[in-house]
Amino acid sequence: MSVVHVTGKARRWLASGHPWVYRDDVAEVEAEPGDVATVVDPAGAVLGQAFFSAQSRIALRFVSREKTRPDRAFFAERIARAVAARARDGYLDPRGACRLLAGDADLLPGFVLDRYANVLVAQCGMLAADRHRDLFVELARASLPFEIACVYDRSDSSSRKLEGLVQRVEVVDGALPTELIVHESGMSYSVDVAHGHKTGHYLDQRDNRLRAADFARDVDVLDAFSYDGLFGIRAALAGAKSVVCVDQSKEALERAAANAERNGVRDRMTFERANCMHDLRDRAARAERFGLVIVDPPAFAKSRREVEGAERGYIELNRRAFEITAPGGMVVSASCSFNVRAADFQSYLARASYKAARSAWLTEFRGAGSDHPVLLTLPETNYLKCAFVRVG
Ligand code: SAH
């Protein structure tokens, strides 16, 4: 049996509810990398069952606090519940898309399963997740009310290196359709699961795109860091006068233009390839004005060390966003860096508005959709911030 002994410090930390134990707090290992280990405290008491990783800074990620080892029935119930939550929250339209299993947030450490129409895309971030992939996929399929045509594995995230794992991209079952189209509340878009970012698409912004579109009617819109252009297309569908999408990725902009065509809004949209940090500054210098500005950059602070640089980046970027917003217009500003906490992000926005010499009111502060659940005892799962700001 695999057993990992942890220190008293780890026991106290776990008693706060957090489900991870760091390498430094492991006392003794009688387990192989990738095992489901029984975790034991210094007094010999069983603290629970966890995925064990020998290489990562995070050595143990708990699956349960029970004495019994998780078996097939245990995972079947856990996965059925996660899928049922998506069904209840309206994420299971067969032609739609969602994060079906959100890894640690669903107490399935290191294992993400995204669904695009009838295609499943898995992403494993640790060896124990690799080993459970086929079981988890099978159980997820069994919980779905419709058939799955293809299972794809996009386990090529850079975090795998921290685990000492090779990157793996493969068709697990079936065949990928030549073009994968998702239909989502009146909008359709293509997803490139083989080459796109993450598992092909940014699922976590779905509801924020819809909300942002409420402010798009009859105004000019700037969608900065547009990726596939979906904030912009939502805005165009909601009656925007014009939409400019800016991104540095040529492939993303090509998909964005095709998506615009698909939704019949191509004539009101333009696509510009540029570095948004320079582009927004230049637009401010040219005194351009938009009724709605969306800024959705990649994570500026991937680690705690990068927070200081990220702070400067967010302030500069949002300052320009405020400067180019017409009086009474809206800025929708996102940050997906976990290391920048909500209160920090709001203080950056405050400083950005002051630097821009514009009054600004935070009207809504949103996160990801509920298919990216926030596990309260794991603050790391609360990463996406999306501020809606009215600019005076
Ligand atoms: N808004 C998108 C997601 C954006 S992800 C959505 O709703 O789906 C971040 C995007 O920023 C990526 O497409 C990436 O290509 C782009 N990007 C990263 N750094 C950039 C920069 N400095 N200038 C312009 N685009 C950048």
Side-chain angles (χ1 to χ4, degrees):
M1 195 177 83
S2 307
V3 177
V4 173
H5 302 262
V6 298
T7 63
K9 182 167 165 243
R11 180 172 47 80
R12 286 189 296 279
W13 171 246
L14 288 165
S16 77
H18 202 289
W20 292 351
V21 172
Y22 295 92
R23 192 166 47 201
D24 293 347
D25 300 322
V26 168
E28 201 192 326
V29 173
E30 298 163 43
E32 297 298 320
D35 282 356
V36 181
T38 297
V39 182
V40 174
D41 78 2
V46 172
L47 298 176
Q49 313 294 327
F51 280 8
F52 170 59
S53 170
Q55 295 215 17
S56 166
R57 206 171 53 86
I58 308 163
L60 295 165
R61 302 185 187 203
F62 275 67
V63 172
S64 88
R65 301 292 183 113
E66 309 292 321
K67 286 201 170 63
T68 49
R69 297 180 58 77
D71 56 9
R72 185 189 167 89
F74 172 92
F75 285 122
E77 185 183 340
R78 176 151 299 172
I79 287 172
R81 284 200 187 159
V83 174
R86 272 63 176 184
R88 189 197 57 194
D89 293 352
Y91 284 103
L92 286 197
D93 180 337
R95 305 208 304 162
C98 68
R99 178 147 292 184
L100 207 51
L101 301 175
D104 294 74
D106 278 311
L107 294 165
L108 299 164
F111 185 79
V112 164
L113 190 63
D114 288 342
R115 174 188 75 89
Y116 301 105
N118 61 358
V119 172
L120 294 180
V121 185
Q123 195 159 61
C124 303
M126 62 190 301
L127 184 56
D130 280 351
R131 294 203 177 144
H132 285 83
R133 181 193 71 183
D134 293 345
L135 173 66
F136 289 177
V137 167
E138 181 199 331
L139 295 172
R141 270 176 110 152
S143 305
L144 283 170
F146 47 82
E147 292 297 316
I148 290 299
C150 174
V151 180
Y152 196 74
D153 190 344
R154 257 307 285 281
S155 295
D156 60 351
S157 71
S158 55
S159 65
R160 279 179 74 88
K161 286 194 206 112
L162 303 177
E163 303 275 334
L165 302 174
V166 294
Q167 306 205 327
R168 182 187 60 221
V169 177
E170 63 186 18
V171 174
V172 180
D173 188 27
L176 269 184
T178 40
E179 195 173 43
L180 175 53
I181 306 293
V182 169
H183 299 265
E184 191 173 276
S185 342
M187 174 173 81
S188 57
Y189 56 89
S190 69
V191 180
D192 186 346
V193 299
H195 310 101
H197 294 182
K198 302 218 227 182
T199 60
H201 168 77
Y202 291 88
L203 285 164
D204 51 1
Q205 290 284 28
R206 179 183 101 150
D207 299 346
N208 296 329
R209 293 187 194 111
L210 271 169
R211 181 65 177 131
D214 289 340
F215 305 97
R217 190 164 191 73
D218 296 330
V219 303
D220 297 311
V221 178
L222 178 70
D223 178 3
F225 305 90
S226 67
Y227 192 56
D228 288 355
L230 298 184
F231 267 105
I233 290 168
R234 272 278 177 234
L237 286 170
K241 218 192 292 173
S242 74
V243 179
V244 184
C245 290
V246 185
D247 200 283
Q248 68 184 13
S249 158
K250 183 166 159 278
E251 294 74 32
L253 289 174
E254 282 167 5
R255 273 200 300 276
N259 283 334
E261 190 77 50
R262 183 170 288 115
N263 288 279
V265 293
R266 179 74 181 82
D267 54 331
R268 276 177 291 140
M269 298 188 66
T270 52
F271 303 90
E272 296 177 21
R273 190 175 178 198
N275 180 336
C276 287
M277 303 303 282
H278 303 154
D279 181 73
L280 264 69
R281 185 196 60 204
D282 296 346
R283 288 180 197 279
R286 293 197 297 268
E288 289 186 23
R289 292 290 179 269
F290 298 87
L292 171 63
V293 175
I294 297 132
V295 276
D296 183 20
F300 284 167
K302 294 215 168 64
S303 69
R304 236 172 288 173
R305 271 180 295 119
E306 293 171 1
V307 169
E308 225 171 277
E311 174 174 346
R312 280 194 300 277
Y314 284 120
I315 292 173
E316 165 66 16
L317 184 64
N318 284 287
R319 170 197 177 159
R320 301 308 175 193
F322 290 138
E323 285 174 352
I324 60 176
T325 301
M330 293 290 293
V331 169
V332 174
S333 181
S335 160
C336 57
S337 309
F338 158 70
N339 291 293
V340 171
R341 309 305 296 145
D344 300 325
F345 188 52
Q346 290 180 14
S347 80
Y348 303 165
L349 293 173
R351 276 143 69 196
S353 76
Y354 183 74
K355 282 194 169 189
R358 303 291 294 276
S359 307
W361 293 267
L362 183 65
T363 59
E364 250 176 284
F365 198 72
R366 303 168 56 105
S370 67
D371 57 337
H372 294 64
V374 173
L375 180 64
L376 286 171
T377 52
L378 184 58
E380 286 80 353
T381 56
N382 189 4
Y383 66 97
L384 186 67
K385 299 154 291 292
C386 190
F388 283 62
V389 180
R390 178 165 65 87
V391 182

